[in-house]
Amino acid sequence: MHVTGGGDCLVLMPTGGGKSLCYQLPSLLREGCGIVVSPLIALMRDQVEGLLDAGVKAAVLNSSLSWEEASSVEQRLLAGDLDLLYIAPERLLTPRCLDLLERAQLALFAIDEAHCVSQWGHDFRPEYIELSMLAERFPNVPRIALTATADELTRSEIVTRLKLDDSPRFIASFDRPNIRYEIIEKQNARSQLQAFIAERHVGDAGIVYCLSRAKVDETAASLASAGIPALAYHAGLNATVRARHQDRFINEDGVVIVATIAFGMGIDKPDVRFVAHLDLPKSIEAYYQETGRAGRDGKPADAWMTYGLADIVQQRRMIDQSTGKDAYKRVSVGKLDALVGLCETAGCRRVRLLDYFGEASGDPNCGNCDNCLSPPRVWDGTVVAQKALSCVYRTGQRFGAGHLIDVLIGNSTERVTQYRHDQLSVFGVGAELNDKQWRTVMRQLVSLGHLQPDSEAYGALKLTASARGVLKGETKAILREATAAGSTCKRVVKAKTAKRAATSSSASPGSSLVPDSHDKSGNAGLLSALRVWRTGMARKRGVPAYVIFHDATLEGIASSRPKTHDQLRVVAGIGDKKLERYGDALLLLVRSEVD
Ligand code: ZN
């Protein structure tokens, strides 16, 4: 392998793709200690717990350690008694830490979440830029930059800033076949979300993303009042509450966390069954990274989003009002447009997503997104588009969708009469569509680029250069039909469950032996006993439940009902170390449940 031989490289691999193995393995094979630069303390702690459990000599160096603990870690590093050491970037960059590293034998530097170096990315961390000095100060130590999300622009920024110009790139597939993508029109987002959870995810762990703190609080409260165990998470809550909510989400079964984007990076919970967006993220990268927190165990999971015209207008406004340079704004608008394109496409979402990351998909239909499962009907909407665009023009390009639709339908509202828009030739020309259908049309005219939100007047829509072609009849406007209320996947869920299960087992080796979690074939008693045992053990050891065992491993035990250590050893997820530590307890549990 390239790194084992001492080379630098950039590794792009989706979450759940075994990214950490890329540095763990060469660290163990090479002389010395591997230094892992990671931005999040919570993540480090969990990864180190997992490694210690697997028998790897790993440690953390960060601000959560006492002086004594830190100096003991430093002594072990110098004595060559560590395989892997996790360090936060701000700590690594201190003169004291750099001196320490110079005196130790180092196997490599692994820079995790390398996209944090990108000023245009959504996770920019200024201290990451200074990591470029590693190349000068430690020229003989190989550097690996790793990220789970990066478009071409971010990739080249990582390469430049971390001085990896001549290094090869290793790019794994970004496809997450077990995740089902679904994007629906926003009507009443909160009740749409409740219906989605009630129909498909009762008792499941999930993450719901909202843009504002207020919306997070309201959404969490409304879910809780509907009997769904939901907790809020945002930067406005005090640190204790935040930590408690995060711990409950990680350690308990079936908790839904409602959060701003402040939540999730560094959360490595494998059994998140759904990620829901009530607001549009900023870009496809952000969408991919956030939805990527679902289904890390390789089992079926949903990425579900509601969106509407107001979302586009709001995101555009945030970009317009940001203090960034013009170049930054242009890049941001481009990224937003790409995401809106993904929302509006009538084709396969997965193909579109992979295409954005520069990955060609062999099959035009993935069979596991809303558009593949229930293809939307498209129609030639050129005539209605012309009516809408004329209406924008005749009313002076100063009004939002609501007013424009009133004029088109012929509603003599107070506002319409006040501006004498009932006198215009466009008044009432669009009575063939109702309010909801017109909203769908307006939104698509924005996403097709014929209309754009005005950066001066909030909510107002104005014509773009391409609108002229539509008005003159030179450009056709092909639109998708408004979807029926609620989920488009709902109708086909049953028929496709088998296919989905098959997809997911090919995605994660080992899970093929494991029955689907919905399969209640008499193992339920043993499985719940195993879960209770795991919760107790996790609490006792102060680690998340999945560090003890993943769900798939418990299910493997429940279905194979091993009687001996040898039988237990063949269950996926049980290594020698875990067998030694937990084997007797597990066998005892199996025996007592079976008898
Ligand atoms: Zn598809």
Side-chain angles (χ1 to χ4, degrees):
M1 194 170 153
H2 182 74
V3 178
T4 312
D8 302 327
C9 66
L10 170 63
V11 175
L12 293 115
M13 197 178 260
T15 355
K19 189 162 57 100
S20 45
L21 275 181
C22 291
Y23 55 79
Q24 287 168 0
L25 216 55
S27 287
L28 297 176
L29 292 173
R30 285 176 61 84
E31 283 284 303
C33 177
I35 305 296
V36 185
V37 186
S38 173
L40 282 137
I41 292 177
L43 177 69
M44 290 186 204
R45 198 189 55 199
D46 290 350
Q47 286 197 338
V48 167
E49 287 293 343
L51 286 166
L52 290 173
D53 238 31
V56 176
K57 289 182 279 182
V60 173
L61 208 48
N62 64 33
S63 54
S64 73
L65 299 188
S66 69
W67 187 85
E68 286 81 9
E69 288 169 326
S71 68
S72 132
V73 170
E74 290 172 11
Q75 289 313 314
R76 288 183 64 197
L77 172 68
L78 294 175
D81 188 35
L82 285 177
D83 299 320
L84 277 170
L85 177 60
Y86 287 72
I87 309 183
E90 58 277 12
R91 175 123 188 174
L92 175 84
L93 292 163
T94 60
R96 182 185 147 79
C97 191
L98 291 169
D99 285 345
L100 173 76
L101 295 181
E102 253 167 8
R103 284 184 286 137
Q105 186 173 16
L106 303 183
L108 55 85
F109 285 106
I111 300 155
D112 207 0
E113 314 290 352
H115 60 274
C116 290
V117 84
S118 165
Q119 285 177 294
W120 287 341
H122 52 286
D123 285 326
F124 177 54
R125 285 166 188 257
E127 62 275 16
Y128 258 67
I129 288 190
E130 292 173 52
L131 293 175
S132 65
M133 54 85 71
L134 293 178
E136 290 134 33
R137 187 126 179 202
F138 301 91
N140 299 319
V141 181
R143 286 163 296 124
I144 321 175
L146 303 108
T147 174
T149 166
D151 61 4
E152 190 46 48
L153 188 67
T154 313
R155 283 174 203 178
S156 48
E157 215 181 340
I158 295 172
V159 165
T160 322
R161 295 208 183 270
L162 297 180
K163 299 205 162 44
L164 294 167
D165 300 290
D166 302 319
S167 318
R169 303 178 181 193
F170 297 100
I171 302 173
S173 171
F174 273 68
D175 190 15
R176 299 283 310 280
N178 60 314
I179 298 182
R180 171 177 296 178
Y181 298 100
E182 181 176 9
I183 300 175
I184 64 172
E185 285 187 51
K186 189 181 282 185
Q187 280 140 26
N188 178 336
R190 222 169 286 157
S191 55
Q192 286 174 303
L193 174 68
Q194 271 180 29
F196 163 73
I197 295 177
E199 278 159 19
R200 280 146 66 183
H201 289 290
V202 174
D204 286 344
I207 306 175
V208 178
Y209 285 110
C210 306
L211 210 52
S212 71
R213 295 173 188 181
K215 196 161 169 188
V216 164
D217 290 333
E218 289 159 21
T219 307
S222 89
L223 288 178
S225 69
I228 298 163
L231 301 169
Y233 187 101
H234 57 69
L237 295 171
N238 81 44
T240 326
V241 174
R242 235 167 36 218
R244 192 173 66 230
H245 287 181
Q246 178 169 324
D247 281 350
R248 283 194 56 195
F249 173 69
I250 292 174
N251 296 321
E252 292 177 19
D253 281 332
V255 172
V256 174
I257 200 119
V258 186
T260 54
I261 50 164
F263 180 82
M265 196 165 150
I267 300 284
D268 200 12
K269 186 175 167 67
D271 57 351
V272 176
R273 294 271 67 86
F274 69 90
V275 168
H277 282 93
L278 291 196
D279 293 306
L280 199 62
K282 282 183 170 50
S283 62
I284 290 186
E285 287 108 299
Y287 172 76
Y288 180 81
Q289 194 178 42
E290 285 154 19
T291 56
R293 293 176 183 132
R296 291 193 179 177
D297 54 7
K299 298 174 142 216
D302 281 304
W304 180 93
M305 173 156 79
T306 64
Y307 107 112
L309 178 58
D311 286 296
I312 310 176
V313 172
Q314 186 178 31
Q315 285 288 357
R316 273 302 286 263
R317 184 173 169 82
M318 284 166 62
I319 296 170
D320 287 333
Q321 292 189 335
S322 73
T323 52
K325 295 196 185 83
D326 283 352
Y328 173 84
K329 290 185 183 178
R330 255 198 318 278
V331 170
S332 303
V333 168
K335 289 188 175 206
L336 177 61
D337 286 348
L339 178 61
V340 171
L342 173 72
C343 294
E344 293 291 349
T345 183
C348 174
R349 309 252 191 227
R350 191 179 311 274
V351 168
R352 189 88 179 213
L353 204 56
L354 294 178
D355 182 54
Y356 182 80
F357 291 111
E359 188 177 332
S361 166
D363 195 339
N365 291 301
C366 74
N368 197 24
C369 74
D370 51 354
N371 287 350
C372 285
L373 291 168
S374 173
R377 275 194 289 267
V378 293
W379 58 296
D380 185 345
T382 309
V383 173
V384 300
Q386 286 168 339
K387 290 178 180 177
L389 297 175
S390 313
C391 183
V392 172
Y393 181 72
R394 301 266 170 221
T395 53
Q397 310 193 54
R398 297 186 288 131
F399 294 89
H403 181 78
L404 294 166
I405 291 169
D406 281 334
V407 175
L408 285 162
I409 293 179
N411 292 336
S412 302
T413 63
E414 204 175 302
R415 206 148 176 245
V416 168
T417 43
Q418 180 196 337
Y419 287 100
R420 307 183 65 151
H421 287 163
D422 49 352
Q423 309 292 314
L424 297 174
S425 58
V426 287
F427 183 75
V429 292
E432 71 269 34
L433 300 185
N434 63 27
D435 183 87
K436 181 173 162 265
Q437 290 165 323
W438 270 118
R439 282 198 173 268
T440 310
V441 171
M442 288 292 186
R443 193 190 69 235
Q444 294 186 75
L445 290 175
V446 172
S447 66
L448 288 170
H450 304 315
L451 284 177
Q452 75 178 43
D454 193 332
S455 54
E456 320 274 279
Y458 187 57
L461 296 174
K462 56 183 191 182
L463 301 177
T464 65
S466 75
R468 177 188 284 265
V470 179
L471 283 166
K472 287 170 110 180
E474 292 163 1
T475 313
K476 277 192 172 177
I478 302 298
L479 305 176
R480 23 177 321 172
E481 237 168 50
T483 48
S487 155
T488 51
C489 281
K490 201 163 55 190
R491 300 185 293 275
V492 282
V493 163
K494 277 226 165 70
K496 297 289 177 177
T497 305
K499 177 164 184 182
R500 198 154 62 133
T503 319
S504 74
S505 63
S506 66
S508 88
S511 66
S512 55
L513 298 169
V514 171
D516 192 78
S517 60
H518 305 295
D519 172 26
K520 308 277 186 245
S521 55
N523 295 325
L526 177 53
L527 189 57
S528 76
L530 288 165
R531 284 221 169 95
V532 170
W533 170 84
R534 179 178 66 175
T535 307
M537 187 54 68
R539 215 162 270 157
K540 201 160 112 194
R541 298 201 38 222
V543 295
Y546 62 81
V547 168
I548 309 287
F549 285 118
H550 280 210
D551 280 359
T553 305
L554 295 190
E555 283 162 16
I557 297 170
S559 62
S560 65
R561 296 167 183 262
K563 293 191 178 65
T564 64
H565 273 86
D566 286 343
Q567 290 170 356
L568 193 55
R569 181 68 180 79
V570 298
V571 176
I574 299 189
D576 290 336
K577 190 96 183 176
K578 297 218 174 190
L579 188 66
E580 189 192 316
R581 184 175 268 169
Y582 306 120
D584 291 338
L586 290 172
L587 290 176
L588 198 68
L589 206 64
V590 173
R591 216 174 305 137
S592 64
E593 278 294 319
V594 173
D595 290 345

